[in-house]
Amino acid sequence: MKLSIGIVGLPNAGKSTLFKLLTQQEVHIAHYPFTTINPNVGIVPVPDKRLDTLSEITGIKQKVPAVIEFYDIAGLVRNAHKGEGLGNQFLAHIRECQAIVIVLRAFQNAGVTHVENSIDPLRDFEIINAELILKDLETVRKMLAKAESEARSGAKDEVRFRDELTEIKDSLERGLTKNIPSYSHKNIKIGELQLLTAKKQLYLINGKAEDIPNECTSKIANLGAEFVIADLGNVEEAPRELITAAYRILGLITFYTIAGKKEVRAWPIRKGISIRDAAGEIHTDFKEKFIRAEVIQCDKLFEAARSVRSSSDPWQLAKSKGWIRLEGRDYAVSDGDVILVKHG
Ligand SMILES: Nc1nc2c(ncn2[C@@H]2O[C@H](COP(=O)(O)OP(=O)(O)O)[C@@H](O)[C@H]2O)c(=O)[nH]1
Ligand SMILES: [Mg+2]
């Protein structure tokens, strides 16, 4: 499945610097059919120790990690919701992403201007969230006007939609700076609005720890969001914890496959999906002609590998120990499962 994250922030916050750091690691994009050729999109591998171990114990060198598409979205400025700067275009790009990384500038550098003329990550945090809220308010109010007239019929669904929209509007008007994903899941029609404030957020505070006011990090924590501190101007590579945190906030789990002697691969999926649907991620045929699957937790496979000579096949050994389970189509895949699909 495709994972996309937008990099958002005021101009000169360090977004493009982060993007460059993220994308300097080459990925074999041939494996990813959804890959778009666009200079503002970078395909970034998710660091994965389990995949590394799987490669070591099987002796298969070719590793295909899960990847995240990072989008370098042009700067947001105060009043972007009214079309200031690149305004609406920028907001449309955020809508297409599943989550956002918000870059806040904390670094001092007189040579790099700031649109607000001073360095204040907390203020920038407020500006960005205010813009997201104001844009959502516009979306919700427009939809509500329609929903109110449709609810006059008294139809249950229409009434509920109106009530939920009203609830969201009220909380946005109260200046709510809190993510609202719970709203978006209650009702498909609300999910379709793709509200910007419903996107999961991750903060990258660009600067030295001592330049960052406590109030800024505590505000972020109060939102239930995570933050990573990095001085992007002085690092060689993108902070790994940013990529792993990004993967985590997307709410995914990973399963693994060992394809013959060719490659080991990590597959991101939503929690709770059936093994038949998971097989469909590999190949649509695997889903349609699914018979059963052999499954083992990777830790158990690593344990099997530790108990034999390096030249032995850990899968066969685990099998001989009776550690590999047979699962039917409705089995819910667990994080860390290694799967071999049997199909017709
Ligand atoms: N001193 C310092 N300069 C930085 C840092 N991050 C970015 N810059 C510089 O700030 C300028 C704007 O960065 P850029 O990534 O293009 O910002 P964007 O507008 O958010 O994409 C560039 O000249 C960067 O070299 C940092 O952590 N420290
Ligand atoms: Mg830029």
Side-chain angles (χ1 to χ4, degrees), residues 33-305:
F34 49 77
T35 306
T36 38
I37 302 166
N38 178 331
N40 297 322
V41 186
I43 310 289
V44 179
V46 178
D48 186 339
K49 287 208 182 75
R50 297 187 299 200
L51 185 67
D52 295 340
T53 309
L54 209 52
S55 162
E56 281 160 28
I57 66 161
T58 54
I60 299 168
K61 297 217 166 52
Q62 176 73 25
K63 288 182 274 190
V64 186
V67 296
I68 300 175
E69 285 191 11
F70 279 91
Y71 287 68
D72 186 5
I73 298 175
L76 164 155
V77 293
R78 207 187 273 278
N79 291 327
H81 74 285
K82 290 190 200 154
E84 250 348 278
L86 294 168
N88 289 319
Q89 186 189 332
F90 136 85
L91 293 159
H93 284 127
I94 297 184
R95 232 178 263 297
E96 288 161 19
C97 296
Q98 292 159 320
I100 49 180
V101 171
I102 297 179
V103 181
L104 299 177
R105 172 171 173 181
F107 68 89
Q108 300 282 347
N109 181 347
V112 178
T113 57
H114 192 300
V115 270
E116 297 284 324
N117 297 314
S118 63
I119 307 304
D120 184 347
L122 181 57
R123 173 205 55 211
D124 297 351
F125 164 94
E126 306 279 8
I127 291 175
I128 290 164
N129 280 294
E131 289 305 319
L132 300 181
I133 289 170
L134 289 165
K135 187 67 192 178
D136 278 353
L137 259 178
E138 190 186 300
T139 309
V140 168
R141 283 186 184 134
K142 224 182 268 169
M143 192 51 73
L144 190 57
K146 233 174 100 193
E148 269 167 351
S149 70
E150 279 167 11
R152 278 191 208 107
S153 69
K156 221 172 95 197
D157 284 353
E158 309 296 348
V159 168
R160 206 186 63 172
F161 184 51
R162 178 201 61 198
D163 291 348
E164 289 189 12
L165 272 181
T166 308
E167 200 184 323
I168 293 173
K169 181 180 74 74
D170 290 348
S171 58
L172 288 170
E173 279 173 348
R174 278 196 304 271
L176 175 103
T177 45
K178 207 175 179 67
N179 292 343
I180 48 169
S182 55
Y183 287 128
S184 26
H185 293 301
K186 264 200 240 169
N187 189 317
I188 295 171
K189 277 162 88 180
I190 286 172
E192 281 168 0
L193 295 178
Q194 293 190 290
L195 295 177
L196 304 172
T197 50
K199 305 271 177 202
K200 287 269 168 49
Q201 298 184 344
L202 173 62
Y203 289 83
L204 186 284
I205 312 177
N206 183 9
K208 298 192 183 66
E210 63 262 32
D211 295 329
I212 299 159
N214 283 335
E215 210 189 333
C216 182
T217 47
S218 60
K219 277 243 176 171
I220 294 171
N222 286 344
L223 276 185
E226 295 183 44
F227 61 86
V228 173
I229 296 170
D231 192 9
L232 296 178
N234 296 298
V235 293
E236 299 289 306
E237 53 183 64
R240 284 168 80 90
E241 71 260 41
L242 182 85
I243 308 169
T244 44
Y247 190 68
R248 190 169 57 241
I249 65 167
L250 291 170
L252 303 163
I253 59 171
T254 313
F255 76 88
Y256 299 89
T257 54
I258 305 170
K261 297 262 172 268
K262 287 212 306 284
E263 67 177 36
V264 288
R265 181 159 179 166
W267 301 85
I269 49 166
R270 267 182 224 94
K271 245 175 243 170
I273 80 165
S274 74
I275 199 160
R276 182 166 171 265
D277 286 335
E281 288 284 318
I282 306 171
H283 201 292
T284 44
D285 266 5
F286 284 19
K287 178 173 175 175
E288 278 150 27
K289 298 173 185 160
F290 183 91
I291 301 172
R292 71 183 85 80
E294 295 183 349
V295 181
I296 184 170
Q297 260 293 304
C298 57
D299 287 342
K300 205 75 187 157
L301 191 63
F302 301 160
E303 190 185 327

